[in-house]
Every structure is written in structure tokens, then in C-alpha cells.
Amino acid sequence: MAFQLILNIILACLWMFLESSFSFATFIIGFIIGIFLLLFMRRFLGSRFYLFRLFALVKLVFRFLHDLIVSTIHVSRIVLKKDMNIRPGIFRYDTTLETDWEVTMLALLITLTPGTLSIDISDDYKAIYVHSLHVPNIEEEIATIRKSYEGAIMEVFHG
């Protein structure tokens, strides 16, 4: 991904030199032309086109922001109730993510979401221990994490 982005920036700079115009608009036009050139040459580059991964990253950020807003409202309702009828719990989340970066990203997203906290990561990076403020059904909570974050992280890192 980084190689393709750098190559795209080099193509945009080359376009600026060919046009003899060193403005931001010329750079943007060259960058867009570079995107199309890289799109046509993507099978020779050996990896997935970098804009697809960038789009997956933007999707992950928006999914996290949505979950952040929803869980903030949910935790606020729990805290502001007169009777705190909650069932806190700690559960083990077994992950299928492969690299340390991916597992760390998942643990950070879990921790940043209000109402959940990553307590520990196993030594082999295959399990995350999660504390949840209100977890009536552990299997449902695990399925929610797997559906919302793990698939999106795999799409960003593996394409």
C-alpha cells in the first residue's frame, strides 16, 4: 500500500514538472491521473490497489464512530438510571486475526468503545480478555465484536 501511494505521489510530481506548473491544482490533477495509471497497472504491482484498502480503513473508522455514539448513549442511559440493573462480566474473545498489529488494533477499538475494556491479551495473541459493563449474553457480545470489528480489520490489513 505504501509503495503504491509513494508511486502515485511521484507520478503527480512528474505531472507537475511536465506541465511546468507547480500549483496545488496541478498536483491534484497529476494525482488523479496517477490513480488511473496505477489502477490500470495494478496486476503488475503484485498487490491489491491501495485505494481499496484506504476505502476499507475509512469504513472501519465510520463503523467505529457509529459504535462509539451508540455505546455512549447506551452507557449514559445505564448510568443515569435510578436502579443500575446491570450484569458486568469478563469474557474471553478468541480472535482469528494473525498479526500482532491486527490484534492490538482490535484491543484498542474494544477499549475505546464505552462500556468495554480490553483487560489482557494472551501470550500467543489469539485471545483477548474483555470486561463489559453490561453483558446479558456473552455469545451475542462476541458475535457483535466479530461482526463489527474483526472482519473490517481483516479487510484493511489483508484486502
Side-chain angles (χ1 to χ4, degrees):
M1 180 173 150
F3 172 71
Q4 291 179 12
L5 179 63
I6 291 170
L7 188 59
N8 198 358
I9 291 171
I10 290 171
L11 287 171
C13 291
L14 183 66
W15 180 259
M16 286 174 43
F17 286 122
L18 289 174
E19 285 289 316
S20 298
S21 172
F22 301 104
S23 66
F24 185 70
T26 308
F27 179 80
I28 295 298
I29 291 171
F31 195 81
I32 293 170
I33 290 171
I35 287 173
F36 286 116
L37 286 174
L38 288 173
L39 189 62
F40 290 126
M41 296 178 5
R42 70 177 181 248
R43 70 178 197 178
F44 300 112
L45 296 173
S47 64
R48 192 169 178 210
F49 187 52
Y50 80 98
L51 281 183
F52 295 143
R53 280 188 168 173
L54 189 64
F55 180 68
L57 180 65
V58 169
K59 262 186 2 184
L60 176 63
V61 167
F62 279 118
R63 178 173 291 150
F64 171 71
L65 289 175
H66 173 265
D67 289 348
L68 179 71
I69 292 168
V70 169
S71 61
T72 300
I73 293 169
H74 183 70
V75 169
S76 298
R77 286 182 181 166
I78 289 173
V79 170
L80 293 175
K81 279 184 179 177
K82 194 180 270 189
D83 59 335
M84 292 187 81
N85 189 14
I86 59 173
R87 292 188 56 199
I90 297 174
F91 59 92
R92 178 185 166 122
Y93 178 78
D94 293 314
T95 182
T96 58
L97 298 174
E98 298 168 0
T99 65
D100 299 348
W101 282 99
E102 296 168 356
V103 175
T104 304
M105 174 79 77
L106 179 62
L108 287 173
L109 289 174
I110 290 170
T111 299
L112 289 173
T113 305
T116 56
L117 176 68
S118 300
I119 298 173
D120 192 20
I121 299 175
S122 66
D123 291 334
D124 61 351
Y125 282 90
K126 294 297 178 191
I128 301 173
Y129 296 95
V130 179
H131 177 273
S132 183
L133 179 66
H134 181 61
V135 56
N137 187 354
I138 292 175
E139 288 80 22
E140 185 178 303
E141 188 77 17
I142 289 172
T144 301
I145 293 172
R146 191 171 311 281
K147 185 180 78 171
S148 63
Y149 293 134
E150 191 167 342
I153 290 172
M154 288 181 77
E155 188 177 350
V156 169
F157 283 98
H158 295 288

